[in-house]
Amino acid sequence: MSAIKKGRVFSGARPTGRQHLGNYLGAIQNYIALQKDYECVYCIVDIHALTTVDSTESLRSNTYEMALDWLAAGMRPEETVIFIQSQVPEVTELHTYLSMVTPLGKLTDLPTFKEKARMQPHNVNYGLVGYPVLMTADIVLYKAGLVPVGIDQAPHLEFARETVRSFNFRFNTSVLIEPSMIATDSPRVLGIDGQQKMSKSLDNHIELASSEAETVQRVMQMVTDPQRMRRSDPGRPEVCNVFSMHKVFSSPEEISMVDLECRRAGIGCVECKQLYARNLNTHLAPFRHRRAELAKDTNLVWDVLREGQQRARALAHQTMAEVRQAIGLP
Ligand code: SF4
């Protein structure tokens, strides 16, 4: 018998294909951990992706690869609802209703909209403006009371809360639930350039599903303390990205050793990276093994997503009946 859960959690992620260490430490680990105490609804937000992608060619394969990574990392479809956003079209209907209680100026004033418009001036589409409204619909459609967000995403959730209040006030109802935030500890994972956030588009990432040899190769490319030019120069672990990763994947003894030996040039960067790469590969070995096993059945991921769609749709169906009634639609 499954334990009583504390509430329903919703989170969505764009289909970005094979996941990297930044995705893993920033989101996937939290997703997995939350399953223990919460009823989780995890969505691959392909409609959101349409606001920024130029080509939709890889949407299907990116969805497959990401879902496979989620499952291999420990997502449990027996209890967690895992599905594709566009396969529950009720979300677009709810988005439309919510848009009627959202002032346009509020959307165009959001820093995230301004940032996106700056990044793609050739494609400032209507969907981009309404993105936070669709995000709100994602959450409230499944009556999720909780959303795991890093502190930098807190304004998005506040927007969702305000939109729910506006809707409930406008239609004199309490049908939509104001979501609360579960603060998650999401470290900012830098790419192998040691400068920017790890990202596929910057090609500074390390994929979870890479082979051991590919992982070693990427780790060896990592930028270290720029002041450590020669092997005999003492280093500064506190400014080195390799050391940050040791803190995640190495043992306390190894972390102390690197901290000490780097400062007195007792360890070289090559050796230090080899140690990190070895520990990273050891950590990822069970994930990689599970991924390879799951991939043998090419239908498995799609079956999981189809089953998730049915469960998500049942929740959505119920909410939409209540929403239409609250609005007074005939
Ligand atoms: S020895 Fe390790 S921690 Fe020190 S600078 Fe080199 S890679 Fe970074």
Side-chain angles (χ1 to χ4, degrees), residues 126-144:
Y126 173 66
L128 209 54
V129 184
Y131 183 99
V133 186
L134 182 58
M135 197 194 73
T136 304
D138 281 324
I139 302 165
V140 299
L141 182 60
Y142 305 105
K143 300 214 170 177

Side-chain angles (χ1 to χ4, degrees), residues 281-302:
N281 275 331
T282 302
H283 181 90
L284 291 175
F287 163 86
R288 289 170 175 164
H289 177 73
R290 266 197 307 274
R291 193 182 202 278
E293 286 299 306
L294 294 170
K296 284 181 185 164
D297 178 355
T298 49
N299 293 323
L300 185 132
V301 165
W302 298 116

